[in-house]
Amino acid sequence: MIRFLLGRLVGLLLTLWISSFVVFAALYLAPGDPISFLTGGREVSPLTLAELRHQYQLDQPFLVRYADWLGGVLHGHLGQSIVAHQDVSTLIGARAQTSALLVGYAAVLIILGGIAAGTIAALFKGPLDSGITLGTTVGLALPSFVTAIALISVFAVDVRWFPVFGDGSGLLDRLWHLTLPAIALAVSSSALIARITRGALREELGREHVETARSRGIPRRKILRRHVLRNGMIPVTTVAGITVAGLVAGSVVVERAFNLNGLGSFLVQSVAANDFPAVQAVVLLMVAVFVILSTVVDLLYPLIDPRMARGGTQ
Amino acid sequence: MTELLTVEDLRVALPVQGQMRTVIHQASFAIGPGEALGLIGESGSGKSMTARAVGRLLPAGAQVSGQIMFDGEPVLELAGAALRRYRTTDVAMIFQDPRAHINPVRTIGDFLTEGLRSTLGMRRRDADRKAVSLLAEVGVEDGERRLRQYPHQLSGGLLQRVMIASALVANPRLLLADEPTTALDVTTQSEVMGILDRLRRDHGVAMLFITHDLELATAVCDRISVLYAGTVVESQDAESLHAAPRHPYTAALLASRPSLTVRARRLPVIGGRPLAAFEAPEGCAFTERCRWASPVCEEGRPAPETHDHGQVNCHRTTELGILGSEAVVTEPVIAEPDKSSVQSRGQQP
Amino acid sequence: MTTLTLRRRALPRVARTDPGLGPVGWTAIGVIALLALIAVLAPWLAPHDPNNISLLDANLGSSGDHLLGTDASGRDLLSRLLVGARSSLIGPLLVVVLATALGLTVAIVSAWLGGWVDAVVSRILDILFAFPGVLLAVLVVAVFRAGLGAAVAALVIAYIPYIARTVRSAALREKSQPYITALTIQGVGAPAICVRHILANLMPLIVAQSTLTFGYAMVDLAAVSFLGLGVQPPTADWGVMVSTGQPSILNGYPQESLYASALIVLAVGAFNILGDRFTERSQRSTR
Amino acid sequence: MTVSNASPAAPDRAPVLQARGLRRVFRVPRTADRPSGELVAVDDVSFTLPCGGSLAIVGESGSGKTTVARMLVGLDTPTAGDILIDGEPAGPRARSRTQRRIRARKIQMVFQDPYGSLDRRQTVASCLDEILRVHFDLSAEQRVARVAELADLVGLDERMVRGRPTALSGGQRQRVAIARALAAEPDVVILDEAVAALDVSIQAQVLNLLADIRDRTSISYLLISHDLAVVRQLCEEAIVMHCGSVVECGPTDRILDDPQHPYTQRLRASVPGPGWVPGAAPQPSETRAGEPT
């Protein structure tokens, strides 16, 4: 068990380290020169240029800069934004809260809605199943930005139950403001989870050990709870974990659609402005969250599947 | 003798891709209290489905006709609580593959005591104690520790013993054993079969024993029914079936199995392949493989003829009587060796 | 060893008749074929120049001249939607073809060789897995400037691990079949076994996977274009149109976003449904 | 590569296959029961298969019999010991394609699983044709003729040959597998539980087929099996393996009628037959508690 935990932890750190290198190297290799942005296209004296380069450490060799940057990241300094002339950490702080709230909100919707719909579809054959299956087929074909646009056009123009733009202030008001974005973010993922749940439960219903339980006269309710749902949740957990982790990236699109001032919008702005330190920081942060979330799910696995508890395969 | 279980004219069809497909045409047999009946057949003969029909475990959408009586109760009409009670306390099933038939994410203890606790309302401590004593009976020591283990931590032979213990835990009156030892090694099979046989006799439980192994069935069963293509073709006392088969299929089956004690120059062979129930033609299903087949065999299903030791379903049984191993067609499987040498042919330029 | 007898006699043997794709599947194929045809013939079908700005005709409703009305710059929506089919379909097609080709090559080679090669490849795939598609696209666009090419390249890289994982595990299953051992013993070469046997047997799975991937790629590429990082305006593209039409919604003219969204949903839905049908069939064929 | 039509028991010929002191050790994760991290799967196994003879390796799961077969066909490397083919040492492991082809012309194998041992998308004809192309330089017409000949040998009709394995029953598939093994014209065919998965009536057909083939060619069989009756039917000689080692060897009749080693006795007594009482076979010492695998 300890070995299993350590193995996962080492894997996590390795992945994070390599990701940081990839992120840094990618932007180092970028053909656009941040200096030209700093100078705003004006002619500057070679001296000023050198000073600027020094200020942003652009005159150092690649590995030195990478080491510096990584050291800073480890101490919580994500670098200086070239555009805002501010520490990126400061710029990210408040925005990260909005994004985290949005992702969390959507995750709750996805897990509750998806698993509930999938379970109902699996257990009640007939019109209910067909209806949910049709719903998931449509839901899967709905990109988050399309749902966002649809929600905006309904709630901004026709009915005004929910606010369409802005972040709000205070937790309740913010959640109120984040409702539509969270729904937009959750729709297609809920459909996916519903589908996986339905498939997993149907498969489990047909399993031999369920036949055994039936053969012993165990009441249906108990069979469903103790055998079908319990075992079916194993594959669902895997997919739900990856899906929720993936919301971190998906939020970029939704934030943009609803003009939310979160990490995603910040990332898109920074890309448009060639603000490399900011892009580096945000991408790294998102990758880190994604990787950590998937590792957490991996670590949960032995708890729900005893076959995994002895350190991996079989 | 009043029978514990009687199955009469059982017919089962299952939906396969939207069409009903017959898996059992005509199965009739009976089991007395404490008696063991072997149900023999090759793949596709419908033997597993027969056991499932008795246990009311057929897949959804199955069409069943005929009659199954358990202790005077019509099994096919049971529903709700009565059906659950039947499954809990009257019959218990032992499956072929314990690895698949025991929930992998629950402990052995949970598996053994689930029925006791949820359907008989026994308290956990009492249920555990009963489970441990049953484990000891099937030869599993340190039951306390085993109860906390998971199925993947046990070998196949051990898991099948756990399955047997779980079948006996609620003191059923009939065991449905579906090839309980087929997946095991020979020596393990012998051990597990010995345990099953002893416990069954000790507890006075009747058994429907499904297998493809005639020798094994002869050793552990009082009577044997032979299934071919979804039809029971012969039922006899185990000893006399082995010694004096009356249906050509039984005789052929007995003869074509290589012997442990004698090497045959050529094995007597039944030509063709075993038919699945849905492929069976109008007349006797065995006709096209039968050495004694005559035009009369194609005219409808043969009715059962009773004799001293049992019943046989064969149109020509009065003419044929008891069959020896000469009942078997020895078909030349391959053409006569007309080529000089098979091996040298590919060498030619 | 002895476990084999289990499988043989589990259920009565059933002749595997292929029920085909069914009416829904064929409808999906019809939709896809129609969209592809539109993409090919768009320049001839479009009644107007899709980029012809005429501010006087802004946000017109549907009329004889403009069947679906116009956008905020007075461009004919029908023409833009027709022409937009091109970039909206070619992008995902490129992603699917490249990602599948690379992913399945990596998967089959690493499954076949096994050992340390497989271990290293799996590790690399795990790391690639840490970059969600849209995020990688944003990163690549930041490096190489916005455009369809950069977004496609990013998605190819992001999708490789997904495709490679599925194909690898299927290839490992196939490799463990005795017939592969038989061929190895016979001295049949590894490339022949991999291509003629393993790949051939995985083909139904790969086709199903690619069809589903097309849907995902379409969503992701449209999202990148929606963010303004993919296809650049004024080029007509469904994802871009959803985005550029957004301000008009608040003014009560939702048509541009609405029509473009509808087409995306239609196309993605058709690919998803077809992919599901293919998946069912490929699962049946391996049984 | 000449294949002689010499009478099966040509005394002057070297044994077609010989194993001397075969040993195979696997590295496994260290566990409480296995602190060394080593698993001895096969330990000091020797046997001789005379030209035209037939030998059975008898054992249950975990006896190491399958590992022996894998080493013989070159899929696995012995940790120690030699394999001699026609009296000449075979390389430790057939790694290259050429080495494999050379060995394939000597030793072939038929597997247990009739469903997995054929490519389900390949017709029977193309399956046999592929093997012929690997080993022989034949024209297309010659290959077609040879495929027909092989099919005829194992009793498959033309319709089956043109079809895919999915249309065939288990017994028919096993015939295809036998034809495929014979296509390379080997001296030895290893039958790895080749009839274990078949129905009784089909098993008899295949056993007769194997006997007929042996009558008509100078081929030798090495049967890997747990089924003593099948061993008696097919093989003159047998070795009994238990936990990686050979516990008994000799003529099949002697081993089955008068087993010497306690394990062989137990195995023999475990097989149901007339007068058999379940569970009456001598039990091993209490060690067989069936610890976690």
Side-chain angles (χ1 to χ4, degrees):
Chain A
M1 194 62 202
I2 301 279
R3 273 179 75 147
F4 172 73
L5 281 177
L6 276 179
R8 283 301 146 107
L9 211 62
V10 169
L12 169 71
L13 291 177
L14 191 73
T15 308
L16 282 180
W17 177 60
I18 293 180
S19 311
S20 76
F21 187 82
V22 169
V23 168
F24 188 85
L27 291 168
Y28 176 83
L29 294 173
D33 187 351
I35 291 295
S36 61
F37 183 86
L38 287 175
T39 57
R42 281 169 284 128
E43 281 290 318
V44 286
S45 69
L47 189 67
T48 329
L49 202 63
E51 272 176 2
L52 274 173
R53 294 182 73 88
H54 185 69
Q55 188 191 337
Y56 289 97
Q57 295 183 340
L58 299 176
D59 53 350
Q60 299 283 327
F62 170 69
L63 283 178
V64 175
R65 282 171 58 190
Y66 173 64
D68 269 2
W69 177 72
L70 192 62
V73 168
L74 291 178
H75 289 93
H77 302 299
L78 296 172
Q80 273 269 311
S81 160
I82 293 180
V83 176
H85 303 286
Q86 265 184 310
D87 203 47
V88 179
S89 325
T90 329
L91 292 168
I92 286 180
R95 295 179 161 98
Q97 270 186 11
T98 307
S99 294
L101 214 53
L102 171 63
V103 168
Y105 197 165
V108 171
L109 293 179
I110 289 168
I111 291 172
L112 293 184
I115 292 181
T119 309
I120 292 170
L123 301 187
F124 300 94
K125 297 185 179 170
L128 212 49
D129 177 26
S130 318
I132 290 173
T133 305
L134 181 68
T136 56
T137 308
V138 175
L140 271 177
L142 281 176
S144 58
F145 60 93
V146 167
T147 318
I149 294 291
L151 289 172
I152 290 171
S153 53
V154 172
F155 287 97
V157 184
D158 301 333
V159 280
R160 292 171 184 276
W161 298 339
F162 288 97
V164 166
F165 294 115
D167 303 344
S169 54
L171 185 65
L172 278 181
D173 189 41
R174 286 172 85 177
L175 283 179
W176 179 243
H177 275 83
L178 285 176
T179 300
L180 291 183
I183 292 174
L185 190 52
V187 165
S188 69
S189 303
S190 314
L192 179 69
I193 297 296
R195 211 164 239 239
I196 299 286
T197 307
R198 178 180 177 275
L201 296 187
R202 277 283 163 90
E203 189 171 342
E204 214 56 52
L205 274 170
R207 279 277 156 81
E208 287 94 339
H209 69 82
V210 173
E211 187 186 26
T212 314
R214 275 205 299 148
S215 81
R216 308 153 109 203
I218 312 273
R220 183 177 152 87
R221 267 170 169 287
K222 278 217 157 128
I223 295 180
L224 291 182
R225 186 165 49 84
R226 292 174 51 87
H227 298 286
V228 177
L229 290 178
R230 171 71 175 76
N231 294 40
M233 280 310 121
I234 295 172
V236 173
T237 308
T238 320
V239 180
I242 295 174
T243 308
V244 168
L247 293 180
V248 177
S251 66
V252 174
V253 178
V254 172
E255 285 176 16
R256 166 85 175 194
F258 285 94
N259 267 335
L260 291 176
N261 198 8
L263 275 188
S265 330
F266 181 60
L267 175 64
V268 176
Q269 287 159 18
S270 304
V271 169
N274 278 345
D275 191 348
F276 288 174
V279 174
Q280 278 170 351
V282 179
V283 171
L284 188 64
L285 186 67
M286 288 185 165
V287 170
V289 172
F290 182 83
V291 177
I292 290 170
L293 280 178
S294 8
T295 309
V296 168
V297 174
D298 270 2
L299 293 179
L300 284 176
Y301 224 72
L303 295 182
I304 55 171
D305 189 351
R307 285 164 294 183
M308 303 292 291
R310 275 152 61 101
T313 48
Q314 280 290 1
Chain B
M1 171 161 85
T2 53
E3 306 286 8
L4 178 67
L5 176 83
T6 50
V7 174
E8 260 173 68
D9 293 328
L10 178 69
R11 189 186 166 89
V12 176
L14 295 180
V16 177
Q17 289 171 10
Q19 289 175 338
M20 293 312 286
R21 182 166 279 179
T22 309
V23 293
I24 303 170
H25 278 293
Q26 200 272 331
S28 304
F29 54 84
I31 306 178
E35 190 187 35
L37 174 79
L39 200 56
I40 302 285
E42 296 183 282
S43 45
S45 62
K47 54 190 191 299
S48 260
M49 282 300 153
T50 309
R52 279 174 171 72
V54 173
R56 285 290 305 272
L57 288 169
L58 290 171
Q63 287 175 1
V64 190
S65 65
Q67 200 174 44
I68 301 178
M69 299 292 278
F70 184 91
D71 202 13
E73 255 186 312
V75 171
L76 294 175
E77 284 155 35
L78 294 176
L83 177 59
R84 274 207 304 281
R85 204 217 58 242
Y86 170 70
R87 285 171 172 168
T88 312
T89 56
D90 291 342
V91 297
M93 188 132 179
I94 299 172
F95 296 94
Q96 176 182 11
D97 180 6
R99 185 96 37 214
H101 274 100
I102 300 180
N103 190 342
V105 309
R106 297 213 170 261
T107 60
I108 299 298
D110 191 276
F111 175 70
L112 282 170
T113 60
E114 183 180 25
L116 292 180
R117 287 188 287 130
S118 71
T119 56
L120 300 180
M122 203 183 265
R123 272 187 315 180
R124 166 149 213 150
R125 198 136 38 90
D126 300 335
D128 278 0
R129 200 171 310 129
K130 175 143 197 197
V132 171
S133 79
L134 261 171
L135 281 179
E137 278 197 69
V138 296
V140 177
E141 305 301 324
D142 59 348
E144 299 278 356
R145 184 169 72 93
R146 296 295 183 194
L147 289 190
R148 290 192 303 273
Q149 284 188 310
Y150 286 96
H152 70 273
Q153 295 169 305
L154 271 60
S155 69
L158 204 52
L159 219 48
Q160 193 57 295
R161 294 175 195 221
V162 170
M163 177 72 97
I164 292 172
S166 87
L168 292 170
V169 83
N171 302 318
R173 287 191 283 168
L174 174 66
L175 280 180
L176 306 170
D178 184 8
E179 304 239 17
T181 56
T182 303
L184 305 177
D185 268 327
V186 187
T187 52
T188 320
Q189 158 168 307
S190 171
E191 289 165 30
V192 171
M193 208 58 238
I195 289 163
L196 178 59
D197 194 51
R198 179 171 50 75
L199 285 184
R200 185 186 76 72
R201 291 175 199 278
D202 289 354
H203 292 244
V205 189
M207 175 164 77
L208 178 63
F209 184 70
I210 312 284
T211 183
H212 63 274
D213 189 337
L214 246 172
E215 302 286 349
L216 182 62
T218 308
V220 301
C221 295
D222 304 307
R223 280 195 293 157
I224 292 179
S225 291
V226 180
L227 262 179
Y228 185 76
T231 305
V232 171
V233 294
E234 175 161 19
S235 300
Q236 277 208 58
D237 296 343
E239 297 294 324
S240 68
L241 180 107
H242 198 268
R246 284 170 189 259
H247 195 282
Y249 176 64
T250 316
L253 209 54
L254 276 165
S256 58
R257 168 76 188 142
S259 154
L260 188 57
T261 47
V262 194
R263 174 180 296 129
R265 229 196 60 71
R266 276 184 78 79
L267 288 166
V269 177
I270 321 174
R273 63 180 175 85
L275 292 187
F278 72 90
E279 300 168 313
E282 274 305 300
C284 168
F286 191 58
T287 308
E288 65 173 32
R289 302 176 76 191
C290 183
R291 133 162 222 200
W292 311 104
S294 71
V296 69
C297 296
E298 289 168 21
E299 292 166 13
R301 295 256 148 80
E305 304 256 353
T306 309
H307 56 86
D308 289 351
H309 299 282
Q311 289 186 327
V312 59
N313 295 31
C314 174
H315 282 299
R316 303 192 60 200
T317 188
T318 38
E319 302 160 59
L320 299 174
I322 294 170
L323 297 167
S325 62
E326 76 279 7
V328 179
V329 188
T330 309
E331 278 192 346
V333 177
I334 52 176
E336 284 304 303
D338 53 333
K339 286 139 199 143
S340 53
S341 161
V342 185
Q343 293 220 341
S344 60
R345 286 294 279 253
Q347 308 277 315
Q348 291 169 0
Chain C
M1 232 211 313
T2 29
T3 48
L4 200 116
T5 28
L6 304 181
R7 189 156 25 118
R8 178 171 57 79
R9 26 139 285 129
L11 276 176
R13 207 177 300 130
V14 175
R16 287 162 207 119
T17 49
D18 190 342
L21 295 170
V24 182
W26 281 107
T27 312
I29 288 187
V31 168
I32 292 167
L34 187 68
L35 290 175
L37 202 67
I38 288 175
V40 172
L41 300 178
W44 294 278
L45 293 175
H48 294 272
D49 177 352
N51 293 325
N52 189 16
I53 296 179
S54 160
L55 291 175
L56 288 176
D57 299 328
N59 291 327
L60 292 181
S62 84
S63 66
D65 194 26
H66 300 286
L67 277 178
L68 294 179
T70 59
D71 68 5
S73 311
R75 293 174 291 196
D76 179 52
L77 275 179
L78 177 62
S79 307
R80 287 184 68 72
L81 289 170
L82 291 175
V83 173
R86 300 194 136 189
S87 66
S88 305
L89 293 175
I90 284 183
L93 185 67
L94 284 173
V95 172
V96 168
V97 169
L98 294 174
T100 304
L102 292 170
L104 80 88
T105 310
V106 166
I108 291 181
V109 167
S110 102
W112 179 258
L113 294 177
W116 65 268
V117 177
D118 192 32
V120 169
V121 167
S122 300
R123 198 75 239 164
I124 293 174
L125 291 179
D126 278 350
I127 290 168
L128 274 181
F129 218 67
F131 288 88
V134 170
L135 200 56
L136 195 68
V138 170
L139 185 65
V140 170
V141 165
V143 176
F144 295 105
R145 300 274 162 279
L148 186 61
V152 166
L155 287 187
V156 168
I157 294 170
Y159 285 0
I160 284 176
Y162 288 90
I163 292 166
R165 271 194 182 184
T166 318
V167 176
R168 177 177 165 275
S169 63
L172 281 176
R173 233 181 358 257
E174 203 63 35
K175 188 190 163 192
S176 69
Q177 297 273 327
Y179 81 87
I180 297 291
T181 316
L183 290 166
T184 314
I185 292 173
Q186 294 280 7
V188 178
I193 295 180
C194 285
V195 174
R196 293 191 42 184
H197 297 280
I198 295 184
L199 182 62
N201 275 301
L202 295 187
M203 236 24 224
L205 171 81
I206 291 168
V207 168
Q209 172 98 4
S210 306
T211 313
L212 287 173
T213 308
F214 196 103
Y216 292 127
M218 192 154 178
V219 170
D220 280 353
L221 276 179
V224 173
S225 295
F226 174 80
L227 290 176
L229 303 173
V231 176
Q232 291 300 299
T235 310
D237 175 272
W238 297 342
V240 173
M241 289 173 73
V242 176
S243 166
T244 52
Q246 199 183 343
S248 307
I249 298 176
L250 301 179
N251 302 329
Y253 302 108
Q255 63 262 37
E256 183 180 8
S257 291
L258 203 68
Y259 295 147
S261 298
L263 281 174
I264 292 174
V265 174
L266 184 69
V268 173
F271 276 102
N272 283 351
I273 287 170
L274 192 61
D276 286 344
R277 289 288 179 286
F278 282 153
T279 310
E280 283 166 22
R281 283 180 78 181
S282 80
Q283 282 165 351
R284 233 192 317 267
S285 76
T286 52
R287 282 283 96 210
Chain D
M1 201 89 344
T2 52
V3 178
S4 76
N5 289 330
S7 63
D12 52 330
R13 217 181 135 174
V16 65
L17 184 64
Q18 220 180 337
R20 285 200 303 223
L22 280 187
R23 181 180 168 83
R24 180 69 172 102
V25 180
F26 289 111
R27 303 214 58 84
V28 293
R30 284 166 204 277
T31 55
D33 345 331
R34 248 193 287 285
S36 64
E38 285 191 345
L39 170 72
V40 182
V42 172
D43 191 15
D44 192 22
V45 169
S46 305
F47 57 82
T48 301
L49 177 60
C51 186
S54 71
L55 172 78
I57 302 183
V58 180
E60 296 183 287
S61 46
S63 63
K65 58 190 199 300
T66 301
T67 309
V68 171
R70 287 179 58 85
M71 292 191 285
L72 293 177
V73 293
L75 288 171
D76 202 351
T77 319
T79 312
D82 302 304
I83 295 166
L84 284 79
I85 300 174
D86 279 338
E88 289 175 29
R93 178 173 177 177
R95 280 181 196 282
S96 76
R97 207 188 306 178
T98 332
Q99 279 173 322
R100 280 198 198 289
R101 285 183 186 173
I102 292 171
R103 197 175 292 196
R105 293 296 307 277
K106 293 288 185 183
I107 308 182
Q108 280 291 331
M109 194 152 164
V110 177
F111 298 86
Q112 174 184 16
D113 177 3
Y115 291 88
S117 63
L118 301 174
D119 185 341
R120 57 189 175 276
R121 299 177 78 80
Q122 193 177 32
T123 63
V124 173
S126 132
C127 165
L128 297 176
D129 187 69
E130 182 174 15
I131 305 305
L132 293 177
R133 269 186 296 162
V134 167
H135 294 292
F136 305 104
D137 191 18
L138 297 173
S139 71
E141 299 88 63
Q142 283 171 319
R143 289 202 308 269
V144 170
R146 178 72 180 140
V147 166
E149 197 178 16
L150 284 165
D152 192 41
L153 178 68
V154 298
L156 292 169
D157 66 32
E158 208 196 317
R159 188 179 49 83
M160 297 172 186
V161 171
R162 272 185 279 114
R164 290 190 180 177
T166 38
L168 301 182
S169 69
Q172 290 162 342
R173 289 178 197 219
Q174 214 57 336
R175 288 167 191 262
V176 178
I178 293 168
R180 179 179 59 191
L182 295 176
E185 300 172 14
D187 298 336
V188 182
V189 173
I190 298 180
L191 305 164
D192 185 2
E193 298 276 13
V195 297
L198 304 176
D199 273 320
V200 177
S201 62
I202 301 300
Q203 192 180 55
Q205 293 173 3
V206 174
L207 283 173
N208 280 352
L209 171 68
L210 289 168
D212 289 341
I213 289 169
R214 197 164 150 231
D215 283 349
R216 293 165 55 183
T217 63
S218 58
I219 208 150
S220 313
Y221 288 144
L222 185 76
L223 172 70
I224 312 275
S225 181
H226 69 278
D227 188 331
L228 297 180
V230 168
V231 168
R232 163 95 78 179
Q233 183 60 23
L234 211 56
C235 299
E236 290 102 47
E237 302 270 327
I239 63 175
V240 181
M241 285 186 72
H242 182 52
C243 296
S245 310
V246 176
V247 297
E248 190 158 359
C249 65
T252 310
D253 294 342
R254 206 273 297 146
I255 288 184
L256 292 188
D257 295 337
D258 181 23
Q260 299 298 312
H261 190 275
Y263 174 72
T264 319
Q265 290 165 355
R266 184 154 74 91
L267 196 62
R268 174 71 179 73
S270 296
V271 183
W276 182 75
V277 179
Q283 296 297 311
S285 47
E286 61 289 350
T287 47
R288 200 179 164 84
E291 278 303 309
T293 44

